[in-house]
Amino acid sequence: MADAVTADPRIGTELAGYRIEMLLGRGGMSVVYLAEDLALGRKVALKLLAPELSKDRHFRERLRLESRLAASIDHPNVIPIFDAGEVDGQLFIAMRFVEGTDLRRLLDEEGVLAAERAVR
């Protein structure tokens, strides 16, 4: 675990009122961390978008619009967005942290899912 902490300089730092605790995953456009909302004392998934996307004005506007739209959806199958913004050129989205695996890892480990399970 110490190697993971030292390998990622963001672990233990704060951004926009969130303390970054652990790397959850990486994708082509973002990195997702487990973080603590310091004001409310709850765990969140904190998505930090790639720096090159932060420089794109059109992408920034699209992110703001999509964050507002997603935050307006109240449905049990949609992860709620708590916060979205920009700090020192870093775009971020804070959303509910859901413990467990992600679909990519599940498919890698188990292969094609039965239709009933996939729908559920």
Side-chain angles (χ1 to χ4, degrees):
M1 184 83 140
D3 290 339
V5 172
T6 57
D8 191 323
R10 287 199 180 267
I11 304 298
T13 65
E14 292 181 20
L15 177 84
Y18 301 95
R19 183 176 38 251
I20 298 172
E21 297 181 350
M22 182 175 77
L23 176 68
L24 295 175
R26 292 184 188 277
M29 295 175 48
S30 63
V31 178
V32 181
Y33 294 96
L34 175 64
E36 181 180 357
D37 180 331
L38 296 173
L40 299 175
R42 65 178 168 190
K43 301 297 182 190
V44 301
L46 185 65
K47 181 182 282 192
L48 304 182
L49 280 79
E52 58 273 14
L53 296 174
S54 298
K55 296 174 186 171
D56 182 330
R57 184 176 57 86
H58 296 290
F59 182 84
R60 291 158 54 121
E61 288 306 313
R62 190 176 106 203
L63 174 76
R64 286 191 177 101
L65 175 63
E66 289 179 6
S67 295
R68 283 178 174 249
L69 291 172
S72 72
I73 298 171
D74 184 15
H75 189 278
N77 294 336
V78 176
I79 302 293
I81 291 179
F82 299 141
D83 192 10
E86 180 179 355
V87 174
D88 297 327
Q90 174 65 67
L91 294 172
F92 71 91
I93 301 172
M95 60 196 84
R96 177 182 291 155
F97 169 65
V98 178
E99 204 160 341
T101 190
D102 60 29
L103 182 58
R104 169 55 38 216
R105 187 171 294 139
L106 184 65
L107 291 173
D108 288 346
E109 292 173 358
E110 299 185 20
V112 176
L113 303 179
E116 182 179 294
R117 184 173 183 201
V119 170
R120 185 173 29 109

